[in-house]
C-alpha cells in the first residue's frame, strides 16, 4: 500500500528536510515539534557538498547561498606553533570536483530556510508545542486529528521515538565537551583567517573557527575532554565551566587564552553519541538523523547525514515495496554509509587530539602529504549521490 501520510516527530534539520522530501513525492506530512517556537539554537554549521546537493534539489539552497560563506580553504593548523600543516582549496574544488558547494552558516539560517519552505508547502503542516513522550499512532492522531501510515522519529539525540523501536540505539556520553560561541566582527583576533575554515590541533583538544557571513563575525567550537552535566543540548558555560575551558587550552599558544578569556556567552555542550541498533520497528516507525545515529562532530557530518537520511527515506518508501520491506531496505542502505562517516569522525578525533610523539608524527605526515591526496579522501563522502536525486 503506498504511503500517503507521514507523522514526523521533531522540526530540526532531519524533520524539516524529511517533510520537504516526502512532499516532493506528493505525501502529506504532520510535523510535531515540542518547542513553542523555533529558536535560534546551535551556533554554526559546515554544510558539505553531499548535503548541499540535496538542499538544491529541495529548492532551499538558493536561499541559504545568499546568506552563507563558501570558504576558500579548509586548513589544519598547529595550536602550539600556529604553523599551517595543511591548506586544502575548498571553494572552487567543491563546485568542480563534487559538483556542489561547501558552505558555512549559522544553524538557524539553514533551519529558517527549511522552515520557510515547509510553511509554504500545502502538503506540510507544522504543529508547535507538541511534545511526544509516548510515540504511537493513537497519540499522534489525537494531536493532529489525522491518521498516518508512517511515523518518522527525527527528535534528536535524546529521542523519545527510540522507545517505539525495540533494540534501537542508545545515546551515551562520549567523554568530550564542546564549547560553542561566536565572536563579533570587531573582536576577531588576527590569527583567524577570514575566508577559511581552520581546525587548530593541540594536545587532547581542538578548536574549529570559521567566519559567519550573516554577522561578519566568527563561529568557534572548542572540543576537549570533560564531565557530563546531564541531558542538555546547551548550557551556559559560566564560572566553573569557563575555568575548565581556559584550563584545557593553558598549554596552547597564548593567543588562545587571550581569545577565550574575553568571550561573551560561551555555551557548553556535552557530546553524546548513539551506538548500533535498529532504526525501524518492522512495520510503521523509523528513526532518522541524531535519533538514529548521533555522532561526534569531528567530521562535521551529523546534519549532512540527517539530510541524506531524510531525502533517501522518502525515495525508499515511495517505491513499489511494502512499507516494512522499504524500511528494512532503507536501514540496510544507510547504515554502512553512516558507519563510514562515524569511523571518519573517530579517526579525526584520534588525529586531532594526539599528544607527545604521536602529535609530532601527525604534524610531519600532514605537512608532507599532497593536498590532492586529502581531497581524494573526501570523494566517497562529498561526491555521494543520494537515492532519488
Ligand atoms: C559542537 C557541534 C558541532 C556540529 N557541527 C556540525 C557541522 O559543522 N556540520 C554538520 O553536518 N553537523 C554538525 N553537527 C551535528 C548536527 O548539529 C546534528 O547532527 C544535527 O543538528 C541533527 O539534526 P536532527 O534534526 O537529527 O536533531 P536536532 O537538530 O536535535 O532536532 C531534533 C528536534 O526534535 C525536537 N524534539 C526532541 N524531542 C522531542 C519530542 N519528544 N517531541 C517533539 N519534538 C521533540 C527538538 O526540539 C528539535 O527541534 C554538530 C554538532 C555539535 C554538537
Amino acid at each position: 500500500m503506498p504511503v500517503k501520510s507521514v507523522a514526523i516527530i521533531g522540526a530540526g534539520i532531519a524533520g524539516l528536510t524529511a517533510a520537504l522530501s516526502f512532499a516532493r513525492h506528493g505525501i502529506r506530512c504532520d510535523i510535531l515539534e515540542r518547542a513553542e517556537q523555533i529558536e535560534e539554537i546551535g551556533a554554526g554549521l559546515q554544510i558539505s557538498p553531499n548535503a548541499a546537493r540535496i538542499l538544491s534539489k529541495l529548492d532551499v539552497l538558493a536561499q541559504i547561498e545568499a546568506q552563507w560563506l563558501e570558504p576558500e580553504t579548509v586548513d589544519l593548523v598547529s595550536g602550539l606553533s600556529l604553523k599551517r600543516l595543511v591548506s586544502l582549496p575548498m571553494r572552487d574544488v567543491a563546485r568542480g570536483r563534487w559538483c556542489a558547494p561547501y558552505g558555512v552558516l549559522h544553524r538557524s539560517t539553514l533551519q529558517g530556510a527549511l522552515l520557510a519552505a515547509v510553511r509554504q508547502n500545502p502538503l506540510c503542516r507544522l504543529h508547535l508545542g507538541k511534545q511526544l513522550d509516548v510515540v504511537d499512532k493513537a497519540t499522534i492522531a489525537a494531536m493532529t486529528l489525522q491518521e498516518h501510515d508512517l511515523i518518522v522519529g527525527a527528535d534528536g539525540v535524546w529521542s523519545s521515538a527510540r522507545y517505539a523501536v525495540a533494540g534501537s540505539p542508545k545515546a551515551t556520553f562520549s567523554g568530550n565537551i564542546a564549547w560553542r560561541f561566536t565572536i563579533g566582527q570587531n573582536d576577531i583576533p588576527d590569527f583567524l583567517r577570514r575566508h577559511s575554515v581552520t581546525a587548530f590541533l593541540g594536545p587532547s583538544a581542538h578548536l574549529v573557527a570559521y567566519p559567519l557571513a550573516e554577522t561578519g563575525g566568527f563561529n568557534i567550537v572548542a572540543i576537549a575532554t570533560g564531565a557530563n552535566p546531564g541531558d542538555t543540548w546547551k548550557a551556559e558555560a559560566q564560572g566553573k565551566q569557563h575555568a575548565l575551558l581556559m584550563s584545557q587550552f593553558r598549554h596552547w599558544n597564548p593567543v588562545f587564552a587571550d581569545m577565550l578569556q574575553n568571550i561573551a556567552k560561551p555555551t557548553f555542550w556535552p557530546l553524546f553519541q548513539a551506538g548500533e541498533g535498529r532504526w525501524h520497528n518492522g512495520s510503521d516507525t523509523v528513526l532518522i538523523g541524531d535519533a538514529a545515529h548521533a555522532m561526534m562532530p569531528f567530521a562535521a557530518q551529523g546534519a549532512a547525514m540527517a539530510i541524506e537520511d531524510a531525502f533517501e527515506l522518502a525515495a525508499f518508501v515511495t517505491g513499489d515495496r511494502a512499507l516494512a520491506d522499504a524500511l528494512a531496505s532503507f536501514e540496510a542502505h544507510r547504515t554502512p554509509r553512516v558507519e563510514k562517516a562515524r569511523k571518519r569522525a573517530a579517526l579525526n578525533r584520534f588525529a586531532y587530539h594526539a599528544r607527545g610523539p604521536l602529535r609530532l608524527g601527525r604534524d610531519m605526515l600532514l605537512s608532507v602529504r599532497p593536498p590532492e591526496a586529502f581531497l581524494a579522501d573526501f570523494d566517497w563522502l562529498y561526491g555521494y549521490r543520494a537515492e532519488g536525486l
Side-chain angles (χ1 to χ4, degrees):
M1 200 179 66
V3 171
K4 291 199 180 115
S5 174
V6 178
I8 299 170
I9 318 302
I13 307 299
L16 294 171
T17 309
L20 296 174
S21 304
F22 284 118
R24 263 186 82 231
H25 296 278
I27 298 173
R28 236 173 335 102
C29 300
D30 284 290
I31 310 146
L32 295 101
E33 165 59 46
R34 69 176 168 195
E36 296 288 342
Q37 53 186 19
I38 306 289
E39 288 178 332
E40 289 204 3
I41 183 169
L45 277 184
Q46 302 174 55
I47 291 296
S48 49
N50 46 318
R53 204 177 347 271
I54 293 173
L55 296 174
S56 172
K57 192 78 179 173
L58 296 174
D59 292 331
V60 287
L61 187 63
Q63 191 180 333
I64 63 173
E65 272 178 325
Q67 299 176 73
W68 78 4
L69 184 137
E70 289 176 45
E72 282 169 15
T73 61
V74 172
D75 299 350
L76 299 182
V77 174
S78 164
L80 302 180
S81 65
L82 299 187
K83 182 180 171 216
R84 210 153 293 277
L85 306 168
V86 179
S87 184
L88 298 179
M90 192 49 72
R91 190 180 56 201
D92 301 336
V93 168
R95 287 188 178 267
R97 185 176 188 122
W98 302 301
C99 305
Y102 190 112
V104 290
L105 74 176
H106 200 286
R107 182 179 180 276
S108 64
T109 302
L110 173 59
Q111 199 177 14
L114 292 167
L115 193 61
V118 160
R119 286 198 157 120
Q120 280 165 20
N121 195 310
L123 291 173
C124 304
R125 285 200 308 165
L126 178 64
H127 307 261
L128 295 176
K130 300 288 181 202
Q131 160 126 12
L132 270 292
D133 295 320
V134 175
V135 172
D136 61 30
K137 282 188 172 174
T139 309
I140 295 170
M143 285 182 173
T144 59
L145 308 179
Q146 181 75 45
E147 301 286 327
H148 299 96
D149 305 313
L150 173 65
I151 301 173
V152 177
D155 51 347
V157 61
W158 296 293
S159 165
S160 299
R162 271 196 207 122
Y163 298 106
V165 175
S168 57
K170 300 281 168 281
T172 51
F173 179 57
S174 66
N176 281 120
I177 298 290
W179 285 267
R180 302 176 98 176
F181 55 93
T182 52
I183 295 181
Q185 56 182 335
N186 297 328
D187 301 318
I188 301 169
D190 291 343
F191 73 95
L192 297 181
R193 273 201 181 174
R194 289 174 190 244
H195 297 284
S196 301
V197 172
T198 308
F200 295 94
L201 315 183
S204 306
H206 80 288
L207 183 146
V208 179
Y210 50 84
L212 291 174
E214 295 101 319
T215 61
F218 256 76
N219 178 74
I220 313 278
V221 184
I223 299 183
T225 46
N228 175 17
D231 293 1
T232 173
W233 201 207
K234 182 182 99 159
E236 294 268 318
Q238 304 300 350
K240 230 169 74 179
Q241 305 302 355
H242 191 243
L244 176 63
L245 170 64
M246 295 297 297
S247 76
Q248 298 282 9
F249 289 86
R250 69 186 182 282
H251 298 307
W252 284 48
N253 191 292
V255 294
F256 292 95
D258 290 346
M259 175 177 76
L260 296 171
Q261 72 191 2
N262 292 322
I263 48 176
K265 290 198 188 157
T267 55
F268 176 80
W269 303 59
L271 295 177
F272 279 69
Q273 47 194 347
E276 286 180 12
R278 288 189 75 193
W279 295 6
H280 69 95
N281 69 347
S283 61
D284 58 11
T285 302
V286 63
L287 306 173
I288 62 170
D290 277 9
H293 50 66
M295 60 179 71
M296 299 292 283
F298 288 79
Q301 281 296 309
M305 289 297 131
I307 289 168
E308 287 186 9
D309 284 351
F311 191 82
E312 294 203 305
L313 176 64
F316 270 78
V317 304
T318 46
D320 294 333
R321 280 173 287 217
L323 181 55
D325 292 344
L327 297 183
S329 303
F330 165 75
E331 183 183 316
H333 172 74
R334 287 296 303 157
T335 42
R337 177 156 173 84
V338 166
E339 205 39 49
K340 211 167 162 186
R342 201 198 292 279
K343 283 198 176 127
R344 176 71 199 220
L347 180 69
N348 287 355
R349 179 186 190 173
F350 174 72
Y352 287 7
H353 290 192
R355 305 171 65 102
L358 270 179
R359 175 175 61 78
L360 296 176
R362 174 203 68 196
D363 289 359
M364 197 155 55
L365 192 76
L366 291 176
S367 306
V368 298
R369 196 165 186 242
E372 170 58 29
F374 286 99
L375 294 172
D377 277 352
F378 288 118
D379 285 344
W380 69 272
L381 185 57
Y382 297 166
Y384 184 68
R385 302 252 153 207
E387 192 81 22
L389 269 175

